[in-house]
């Protein structure tokens, strides 16, 4: 019998993948966790029915969350990832030689545990000595941090369930306080086809707190609509003004210095959301 997994991305539309086998299913303290081996995208982490990452296309999201803010900052040494328990963003962060310490604050220890088990090419970096892993509430961690981080990345789930707080203006204000005076932050902000208001609202809130606020996009086939957005807030450094000599070679599959610039060129209907 053929088994298929469907994420209902909206009430009326979904994405479907043929299942080879289910590797793990569990209701954690925070969410339903499924690890599925799919025919097309390799192992896939699903939380509350939503695709979080797959072995085949994870590199796009993880590279674009990490490298855009890290190349924007001239010397990122102390970096925080909120969420991202699969370890993909941390793996990319560690490619920057300037980074001395990377802290991961993930609320759900089970995400870390099963990513290490079934997504080793993504989660392996969590064992690096520069990494500190905290199983804790990212919102609280931010509230308690002041003037410590150069770059903060918010690799959250959708603004339902455990991540609701991570899409509030209070959280962005906390991030600003947790950053040093020339800090940069980025958050994944969903897609312009099914959640346009979210993009507009986050942009409005971040703009009230950070002098430089911008939106960029990447193509991620397993996420709703395939066109994903990221909102960047920066105190001093403009991601569009990174000098050529700051880019250096890096082992990536999506991010390049041309993509860094091109990602900020928005289709008109997306640009209209953040006018
Ligand atoms: N975090 C953002 C995933 C959002 C996908 N949404 C959905 N499938 N409805 C991904 C975590 C990867 N490190």
């Amino acid at each position: 019998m053929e088994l298929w997994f469907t994420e209902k991305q909206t009430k009326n539309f979904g994405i479907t993948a043929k299942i080879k086998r289910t590797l793990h299913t569990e209701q954690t303290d925070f969410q339903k966790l499924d690890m599925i081996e799919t025919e097309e995208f390799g192992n896939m982490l699903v939380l509350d029915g939503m695709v979080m990452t797959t072995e085949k296309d994870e590199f796009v999201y993880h590279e674009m969350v990490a490298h855009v803010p890290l190349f924007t900052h001239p010397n990122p040494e102390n970096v925080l990832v909120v969420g991202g328990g699969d370890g993909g963003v941390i793996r990319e962060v560690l490619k920057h030689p300037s980074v001395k310490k990377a802290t991961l604050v993930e609320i759900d220890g089970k995400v870390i545990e099963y990513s290490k088990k079934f997504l080793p090419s993504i989660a392996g970096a969590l064992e690096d000595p520069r990494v500190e892993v905290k199983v804790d509430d990212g919102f609280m961690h931010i509230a308690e941090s002041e003037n410590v981080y150069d770059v903060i990345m918010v690799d959250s789930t959708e603004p339902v369930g455990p991540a609701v707080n991570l899409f509030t203006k209070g959280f962005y204000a906390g991030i600003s306080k947790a950053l040093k005076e020339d800090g940069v932050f980025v958050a994944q902000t969903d897609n312009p086809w099914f959640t346009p208001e979210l993009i507009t609202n986050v942009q409005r809130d971040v703009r009230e707190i950070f002098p430089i606020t911008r939106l960029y996009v990447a193509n991620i086939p397993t996420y709703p609509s395939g066109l994903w957005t990221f909102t960047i807030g920066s105190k001093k450094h403009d991601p569009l003004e990174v000098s050529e000599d700051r880019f250096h070679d890096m082992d990536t599959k999506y991010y390049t210095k041309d993509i860094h610039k091109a990602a900020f060129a928005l289709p008109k209907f997306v640009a209209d959301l953040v006018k």
Side-chain angles (χ1 to χ4, degrees), residues 118-267:
F118 294 115
L119 302 169
S121 63
I122 305 175
L126 294 174
E127 309 293 340
D128 189 282
R130 282 173 291 168
V131 177
E132 182 182 358
V133 176
K134 291 185 174 166
V135 178
D136 215 338
D137 183 341
F139 189 86
M140 291 309 294
H141 182 89
I142 286 291
E144 288 155 9
S145 307
E146 202 170 332
N147 192 26
V148 275
Y149 297 110
D150 298 304
V151 176
I152 297 176
M153 291 128 188
V154 184
D155 179 12
S156 67
T157 52
E158 302 268 339
V160 286
V164 266
N165 288 335
L166 306 184
F167 289 83
T168 59
K169 198 169 160 195
F171 182 61
Y172 305 132
I175 287 191
S176 173
K177 178 178 65 72
L179 284 169
K180 292 184 190 158
E181 39 105 47
D182 66 342
V184 183
F185 111 96
V186 69
Q188 73 87 1
T189 41
D190 226 296
N191 78 88
W193 290 94
F194 308 140
T195 59
E197 315 78 23
L198 179 135
I199 294 169
T200 303
N201 292 342
V202 171
Q203 191 81 17
R204 184 200 56 218
D205 291 348
V206 173
R207 234 179 237 160
E208 283 175 28
I209 295 163
F210 288 87
I212 300 162
T213 303
R214 302 200 184 279
L215 191 78
Y216 63 95
V217 293
N219 164 243
I220 305 172
T222 58
Y223 285 0
S225 90
L227 181 65
W228 211 249
T229 74
F230 305 85
T231 299
I232 203 162
S234 178
K235 294 189 180 181
K236 195 158 145 194
H237 307 291
D238 189 337
L240 288 177
E241 312 264 289
V242 180
S243 71
E244 285 286 318
D245 58 328
R246 205 181 295 152
F247 293 105
H248 50 84
D249 276 343
M250 193 165 275
D251 173 27
T252 56
K253 288 191 276 196
Y254 190 92
Y255 180 91
T256 64
K257 76 176 188 329
D258 290 338
I259 282 287
H260 181 110
K261 294 176 202 128
F264 291 89
L266 303 174

